[in-house]
Amino acid sequence: MDFCPEREIVVGTGGKLRSIRVTSAAQFGIAAILLSLLLGAMALILSVATTRADIARERAAITAQSRAVAAAASKSARYRKSVEQRTRELEARQDFMDDLYRAHFGEDEAGVDGARAEASKQVAGARAEKLRLGAAVDAKPLQAIDARQRRFAALLTHAVRRRADQTAHAIQSLGLNPEALVRTAARAQGGPFVPWPEAQASMPQEMEHLADALARMELLEASLKTIPSGRPTMAPMQSSSYGYRRDPFNGHAAFHAGIDFPGRHGEPILAAAAGKVTFVGQRSGYGNVVEVAHSNGIMTRYAHLSGFSTSVGRKVTQGQQIARMGSTGRSTGDHLHFEVRINGQPVNPRPFLQASRNVRQVQQLAATRAAGVRNRG
């Protein structure tokens, strides 16, 4: 079949006619050229479309990568912030433990089974680790400090328990139940709730044990400090003891609730322990009386006085003058009648007044340590 027959085209120019013969081969050539141009244009359009799609995909990939980088940067910033916060917490905990150690055991305290020497090494190691935290973003230095602090807390807990046991033994030597005193003292607590500043939900176990040991030691020492163990007068003799005796006025059997110290008129009467004056005046049979309340329901009574050197509401320290010896009330001569009462019931004052040197040393140590804590506070 002849798809492209030969054609003749007549063109008129300048009043003349000219004919142009277009052969079949020329027609095929022109068609081929046009087809080539069309295919080229289509290829160009397809290439442009493909390029645009690639560009769009690259832009999407770049956007996703940028978002991933931003998320990673945010995560890194949060992690760094977390590390910095943890660093501050550990540094605060270390400072607290250093102060705690100095407050309760001093700089050169001996006799704590090497706890001080080992704890000092732990503190030095923790301090060295802290110097590495300036540019650190990993948790390894923090973990090292945390481990050292936990070992330090365990060592300190051991030393605190030993000291608390020593105080408990001193209280037992006075005929009192140390654990009962602790329970009584523990009921008188208060203050605002301040959560433990740790990243964890609860206080580390080592810190809990240390806190419990410290609380027990402080309650025992506070109880021991206010137990009357000082002599209420410098008179060396006791004319009448606690318990059974014959009444000096009628000779009948009677119960004597205290100890009598004979002496000279006007001789100073001293507080046997720190406390608060709760009564100054006269009581039947006792004459002029001063009463001082101490902790844990303990009260001391000083009777037959010739005069007073204090007033109700005054806080007194052990050995402070509160009155003068006399012979008021039911008395046969100048002397001091001294009582110790626990929850209103009289007990024998002799064990308190004859406290061993060890008890007095523990009392003095507790008082010194408490003063140190107050000064640091």
Side-chain angles (χ1 to χ4, degrees), residues 55-112:
I55 291 173
R57 283 194 298 270
E58 289 178 359
R59 285 180 177 175
I62 291 172
T63 300
Q65 187 176 9
S66 298
R67 290 175 178 172
V69 170
S74 177
K75 182 178 180 181
S76 177
R78 289 195 302 271
Y79 181 74
R80 180 180 289 277
K81 184 177 180 181
S82 174
V83 169
E84 291 174 351
Q85 180 180 355
R86 184 63 176 154
T87 301
R88 289 193 297 271
E89 290 173 354
L90 289 172
E91 288 178 345
R93 187 208 287 176
Q94 189 64 53
D95 292 338
F96 165 75
M97 293 175 70
D98 290 345
D99 291 341
L100 190 68
Y101 187 89
R102 286 191 294 269
H104 290 279
F105 298 97
E107 297 292 347
D108 299 303
E109 183 69 19
V112 289

Side-chain angles (χ1 to χ4, degrees), residues 33-61:
I33 291 171
L34 291 175
L35 182 60
S36 256
L37 291 174
L38 178 60
L39 291 175
M42 292 178 64
L44 179 61
I45 292 172
L46 181 61
S47 175
V48 169
T50 302
T51 301
R52 287 181 176 176
D54 290 341
I55 291 173
R57 283 194 298 270
E58 289 178 359
R59 285 180 177 175

